[in-house]
């Protein structure tokens, strides 16, 4: 398992550097103050990295916490500043009193962001806490604010207080809300968000990075001693709602030559869940069939080395980057039938969908893919074509640029 701050994250491949240089030339010179609450590298941050790269000549990313995300931004020459000296102590499920208790910490940050934003055309908030700070700062400085909504604002994910706060601030202060899927858009509106504010723009992916995975899949398989076993990959932070336990249980219903690699780490303190997963593996006698690989920077080569990627979230996924990543790699993918995943996968054409939490259905798809490799490969090939058409970062950047230009 890599330590936070390990060197591995800092290396840019030659192709990534080339892309970085090319992209900076396409930037339109808009001055944007991006805000994100975390220093960790989750899906929201990886997606923001892709966007911020385009504006790196003129913009700044403000973080409320230091970490790998700051290093990744610096590595791609995106100006970044850690604006707070300790992370904000409010969680998605925090109630009113906990949220109010954090005001003392928030206010100096709001003031700092308000001051900073006077030198920018736009405040671009990427997470919930960033929205709170960005909205209040925007009210002070009159700098317009955009909210990139990457969460399904439902009771499964958020306390009533936090949901209400997000909706009120977005309705009152955002000039635009960019939703990362139709599912996040619908949940926003259902929770009281203004429909006229929201536009759906999917995550973009740099297609060339998927052309030749490095190292090649067979090398990765050899390194991990996977040999000719049927490998199911799971790529996500370790968290109960990401459902790694569902895949482990499904594995127990599959033949012995089906194995799993779990790629990702507990990013937000879910250590009890990690312990549970290890216990589950042991209790089911799967110790030689499940590998925990920890957080990896190099997911593309690992995804390409899998026979199937499983996405097993038990609550609706806002977007599901890993599903698109598997499609781009040409690796068959089975996803939980809810939220944004439904917009990414056409069942039977570009992948499989199984009901969230349904262990037996998942086990059955895994075995079908194992028994019918030609069919699985044909579906994965179609998925690759589809994903290349729909999620090309250049196209997505143009949509974002067009959206932001209208605000100026
Ligand atoms: N990921 C990664 N290293 C890991 C595990 C996951 O880089 O060890 C990436 C994964 O490839 C995907 C992102 O983290 O791009 C997770 O995004 P997703 O939308 O699947 O979930 P989120 O973290 O936003 O809930």
């Amino acid at each position: 398992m890599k330590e936070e701050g390990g060197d591995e994250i800092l290396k840019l491949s030659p192709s990534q550097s080339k892309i970085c240089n090319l992209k900076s030339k396409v930037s339109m010179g808009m001055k944007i103050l991006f805000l994100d609450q975390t220093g960790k590298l989750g899906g929201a941050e990886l997606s923001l990295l892709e966007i911020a790269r385009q504006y790196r000549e003129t913009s700044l990313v403000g973080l409320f916490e230091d970490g790998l995300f700051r290093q990744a931004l610096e590595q791609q020459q995106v100006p970044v500043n850690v604006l707070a000296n300790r992370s904000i102590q409010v969680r998605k499920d925090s109630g009113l009193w906990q949220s109010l208790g954090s005001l003392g910490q928030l206010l100096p940050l709001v003031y700092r962001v308000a001051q900073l934003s006077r030198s920018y055309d736009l405040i671009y908030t990427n997470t919930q806490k960033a929205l709170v700070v960005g909205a209040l700062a925007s009210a002070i400085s009159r700098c317009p604010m955009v909210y990139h909504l990457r969460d399904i604002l439902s009771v499964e994910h958020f306390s009533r207080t936090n949901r209400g706060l997000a909706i009120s601030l977005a309705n009152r202060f955002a000039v635009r809300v960019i939703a990362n899927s139709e599912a996040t858009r619908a949940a926003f509106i259902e929770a009281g968000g203004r429909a006229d504010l929201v536009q759906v723009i999917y995550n973009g992916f740099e297609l060339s990075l998927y052309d030749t995975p490095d190292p090649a899949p067979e090398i990765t398989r050899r390194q991990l001693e996977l040999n000719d076993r049927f490998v199911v990959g799971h790529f996500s932070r370790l968290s109960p709602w990401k459902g790694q336990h569902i895949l482990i249980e499904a594995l127990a219903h599959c033949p012995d030559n089906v194995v799993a690699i779990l790629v990702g780490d507990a990013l937000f303190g879910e250590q009890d869940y990690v312990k549970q997963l290890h216990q589950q593996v042991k209790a089911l006698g799967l110790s030689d069939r499940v590998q925990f690989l920890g957080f990896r920077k190099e997911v593309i080569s690992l995804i390409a080395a899998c026979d199937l990627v499983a996405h097993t979230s038990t609550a609706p996924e806002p977007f599901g980057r890993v599903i698109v990543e598997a499609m781009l790699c040409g690796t068959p993918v089975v996803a939980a039938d809810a939220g944004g995943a439904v917009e990414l996968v056409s069942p039977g054409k570009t992948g499989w969908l199984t009901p969230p939490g349904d262990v037996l259905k998942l086990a059955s798809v895994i075995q079908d893919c194992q028994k019918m490799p030609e069919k699985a490969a044909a579906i994965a090939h179609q998925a690759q074509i589809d994903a290349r058409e729909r999620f090309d970062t250049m196209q997505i950047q143009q949509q974002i640029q067009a959206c932001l230009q209208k605000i100026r």
Side-chain angles (χ1 to χ4, degrees):
M1 202 179 291
K2 288 275 159 200
E3 293 288 322
E4 273 213 356
D7 293 344
E8 198 207 18
I9 195 76
L10 293 173
K11 284 184 210 138
L12 261 193
S13 68
S15 60
Q16 282 172 319
S17 306
K18 233 186 284 163
I19 291 154
C20 205
N21 293 334
L22 175 78
K23 294 281 180 57
S24 66
K25 293 188 184 125
V26 220
S27 158
M28 297 290 280
M30 192 173 207
K31 294 172 76 180
I32 305 176
L33 176 58
F34 294 99
L35 295 179
D36 192 294
Q37 71 200 43
T38 181
K40 304 197 171 66
L41 263 181
E45 290 66 40
L46 288 166
S47 172
L48 182 64
L49 184 61
E50 194 65 28
I51 297 167
R53 264 192 342 203
Q54 321 298 316
Y55 296 95
R56 65 183 177 155
E57 308 288 350
T58 48
S59 300
L60 175 72
V61 179
L63 303 181
F64 303 169
E65 178 186 89
D66 201 357
L68 287 182
F69 185 31
R70 196 249 314 145
Q71 296 177 33
L73 286 159
E74 282 177 352
Q75 191 58 30
Q76 309 224 5
Q77 293 102 49
V78 179
V80 53
N81 202 340
V82 179
L83 303 172
N85 34 26
R86 67 190 170 97
S87 53
I88 299 164
Q89 304 303 311
V90 187
R91 298 165 57 94
K92 284 180 175 180
D93 53 1
S94 295
L96 180 64
W97 295 113
Q98 280 162 301
S99 305
L100 286 176
S102 67
L103 272 180
Q105 220 188 331
L106 278 183
L107 292 179
L109 190 55
V110 168
Y111 181 73
R112 187 152 180 214
V113 171
Q115 290 296 97
L116 256 180
S117 68
R118 294 186 206 278
S119 312
Y120 292 87
D121 300 320
L122 196 70
I123 300 173
Y124 191 113
T125 59
N126 198 52
T127 54
Q128 281 255 323
K129 290 175 201 168
L131 166 69
V132 175
V133 172
L136 299 177
S138 153
I140 297 169
S141 68
R142 305 265 162 220
C143 181
M145 184 201 68
V146 166
Y147 176 32
H148 200 138
L149 174 62
R150 302 176 181 281
D151 287 307
I152 294 198
L153 293 172
S154 66
V155 282
E156 280 146 308
H157 290 285
F158 290 91
S159 69
R160 184 188 284 266
T161 307
N162 282 347
R163 212 157 54 115
L165 186 65
I167 297 292
S168 312
L169 292 175
N171 280 351
R172 171 76 181 81
F173 296 106
V175 286
R176 202 78 191 142
V177 174
I178 299 176
N180 66 352
S181 67
E182 293 292 346
T184 54
R185 176 181 182 273
F188 176 76
I189 294 168
E190 201 186 314
R194 276 171 48 197
D196 61 308
L197 280 180
V198 208
Q199 175 178 354
V200 174
I201 302 182
Y202 288 131
N203 282 206
F205 296 80
E206 179 51 63
L207 302 187
S208 65
L209 295 178
Y210 296 82
D211 291 343
T212 6
D214 179 24
E218 50 288 3
I219 295 177
T220 304
R221 286 180 76 102
R222 213 176 308 134
Q223 283 168 348
L224 295 174
E225 297 178 8
L226 296 167
N227 307 321
D228 56 356
R229 299 198 282 178
F230 187 87
V231 182
V232 186
H234 195 291
F235 297 78
S236 171
R237 59 198 157 90
L238 303 180
S239 175
W241 78 272
K242 291 291 188 178
Q244 281 86 357
H245 60 287
I246 304 292
L247 173 60
I248 294 172
E249 208 179 325
L251 209 64
H253 294 274
C254 296
D256 286 349
N257 63 354
V258 179
V259 299
I261 56 170
L262 302 184
V263 184
D265 206 350
L267 292 189
F268 302 106
E270 300 94 339
Q271 292 308 330
D272 286 350
Y273 183 61
V274 177
K275 225 184 275 167
Q276 261 176 45
L277 290 176
H278 284 277
Q279 280 165 357
Q280 186 192 12
V281 166
K282 211 166 150 203
L284 291 172
L286 297 172
S287 298
D288 58 344
R289 291 172 57 195
V290 178
Q291 293 191 44
F292 289 86
L293 300 185
F295 180 86
R296 294 291 184 105
K297 179 202 164 200
E298 227 3 286
V299 288
I300 294 178
S301 56
L302 284 166
I303 293 175
C306 293
D307 296 295
L308 177 70
V309 163
H311 164 270
T312 56
S313 295
T314 55
E317 185 75 55
F319 179 80
R321 289 177 58 84
V322 69
I323 299 168
V324 177
E325 289 165 340
M327 292 165 91
L328 290 171
C329 285
T331 302
V333 61
V334 52
D337 190 2
V342 176
E343 298 160 49
L344 310 180
V345 174
S346 266
K349 289 188 184 134
T350 60
W352 290 261
L353 291 175
T354 54
D358 193 330
V359 169
L360 293 180
K361 287 260 168 60
L362 177 61
S364 151
V365 169
I366 294 173
Q367 290 174 83
D368 285 352
C369 287
Q370 188 188 22
K371 280 188 225 138
M372 295 179 278
E374 289 86 10
K375 184 181 170 199
I379 287 181
H381 179 64
Q382 190 50 50
Q384 197 173 31
I385 296 171
D386 188 60
R388 289 183 76 91
E389 263 173 35
R390 296 173 66 203
F391 305 107
D392 179 354
T393 194
M394 292 307 262
Q395 203 179 298
I396 302 293
Q397 286 306 334
Q398 280 166 11
Q399 291 174 26
I400 290 187
Q401 203 142 356
C403 167
L404 301 185
Q405 288 294 332
K406 274 188 236 152
I407 296 161
R408 242 213 304 206

